[in-house]
Amino acid sequence: MRTVQPFKRLLVKLSGELLSGENSVFSASYLNNLSEAVLRLQKENKQVAFVVGGGNIWRGRDADLLGINGTDADYIGMLSTAVNGLMLKSCFESKGLKAELVSSFFIEGIAYRRHPSEIREFLENQVVVIFVGGTGMPHLTTDTLAAIRAVEISADLLVKLTKVDGVYDKDPMKYTDACKFDVLTFDEAVQKRLGVMDLAAFALLRDKNIPVAVIKGTDPMELVSFLHDSNKGTLVIPYSQEVHGE
Ligand code: UDP
């Protein structure tokens, strides 16, 4: 049993795949719905940052398909996250939101590195911060970046948007009797090998006491619903303890 909690500063990990349309790199309706969800969150006085992936454009693990060098393939992946971030920023701004692109590497005229204190100031002033460029290092993932950025901005919650509506004991796409967890600890998720995020990211979040929400990302409004409805998604918490609501 879980209670609704007053999370204020959210770091949302958005995989690139969610941004894609049926036959296109970007889905206009998804981008529109995501912007609407962020507007709703801001009306509720939430501060929102995104870490965006690049999987709708390119993933480093596909290097072998083209016979290219794996490190270059990872840099192509990191550049893809910047393309997605700029698209998000533009869409958010077209809806009247303020947005800032923060990159792990410098892109003249487009995205810059920022000190954590500047980033926190953006968030306090209702600017949506979009982190791109991965960690800037090959052979890592945007999940790792999401964990690092969540710690850096002192997020209250890391939200991982996925294709299913939470963490299950087995793959709900394959097994009709799969059961969803409402709440579980990081250690339980690791012991049960539930594969919520990569292990390095997970360990960092557990040590820094930042819970993870796993929610269905195909409908961005779930970002809002999760904060009000304790039956939505799954909440992964650092320790098995009573969680107190608002
Ligand atoms: N990537 C990387 N280092 C990082 C983050 C990402 O090399 O710190 C590369 C990697 O090749 C990855 C690609 O960027 O496949 C896109 O990121 P990711 O697969 O995490 O995107 P998502 O699946 O979330 O869309």
Side-chain angles (χ1 to χ4, degrees):
M1 189 56 190
R2 193 178 96 212
T3 51
V4 170
Q5 292 178 73
F7 299 115
K8 186 171 172 72
R9 183 173 289 171
L10 312 178
L11 188 288
V12 182
K13 161 68 209 298
L14 177 70
S15 73
E17 211 178 354
L18 286 168
L19 295 176
S20 61
E22 214 164 297
N23 293 310
S24 58
V25 170
F26 294 112
S27 155
S29 64
Y30 190 84
L31 287 164
N32 187 53
N33 295 342
L34 187 64
S35 307
E36 293 294 336
V38 176
L39 280 165
R40 277 284 301 277
L41 288 170
Q42 286 205 341
K43 274 199 190 115
E44 295 187 11
N45 225 8
K46 307 296 178 194
Q47 299 174 6
V48 193
F50 284 91
V51 164
V52 62
N56 53 325
I57 300 172
W58 176 258
R59 283 202 178 100
R61 62 172 176 264
D62 292 335
D64 288 347
L65 296 176
L66 298 181
I68 62 170
N69 170 297
T71 300
D72 282 350
D74 279 339
Y75 278 106
I76 297 167
M78 286 186 268
L79 289 166
S80 307
T81 72
V83 172
N84 284 340
L86 186 55
M87 177 58 87
L88 279 185
K89 178 176 185 278
S90 271
C91 290
F92 290 162
E93 286 174 345
S94 74
K95 295 281 180 189
L97 288 157
K98 288 181 280 177
E100 185 73 26
L101 209 55
V102 177
S103 177
S104 303
F105 46 82
F106 177 79
I107 311 174
E108 172 71 40
I110 294 179
Y112 302 93
R113 292 174 65 98
R114 297 281 189 178
H115 190 269
S117 61
E118 278 182 286
I119 295 168
R120 283 194 286 266
E121 207 177 312
F122 284 135
L123 292 168
E124 278 152 17
N125 288 302
Q126 293 291 62
V127 177
V128 182
V129 174
I130 305 160
F131 294 109
V132 299
T135 59
M137 314 276 279
H139 314 297
L140 292 172
T141 67
T142 44
D143 273 7
T144 308
L145 177 73
I148 294 168
R149 295 302 198 188
V151 174
E152 193 176 62
I153 66 168
S154 309
D156 297 317
L157 180 71
L158 187 150
V159 183
K160 179 152 168 148
L161 300 180
T162 63
K163 285 190 150 178
V164 287
D165 62 342
V167 181
Y168 283 77
D169 58 351
K170 50 191 159 187
D171 187 347
M173 305 283 201
K174 285 191 199 148
Y175 302 95
T176 50
D177 62 341
C179 288
K180 182 169 83 69
F181 295 97
D182 285 337
V183 62
L184 80 163
T185 64
F186 283 95
D187 289 344
E188 283 165 347
V190 173
Q191 278 154 18
K192 293 181 199 296
R193 298 171 186 267
L194 298 174
V196 181
M197 292 180 90
D198 74 52
L199 286 178
F202 223 51
L204 179 60
L205 293 164
R206 183 192 56 193
D207 292 350
K208 299 293 181 186
N209 227 347
I210 298 178
V212 178
V214 179
I215 65 174
K216 192 167 186 171
T218 47
D219 174 8
M221 269 308 160
E222 291 284 306
L223 268 170
V224 182
S225 323
F226 176 83
L227 299 176
H228 297 283
D229 182 348
S230 58
N231 291 315
K232 294 275 181 185
T234 297
L235 184 66
V236 187
I237 55 175
Y239 305 101
S240 183
Q241 60 194 18
E242 194 60 37
V243 279
H244 297 287
E246 295 183 86

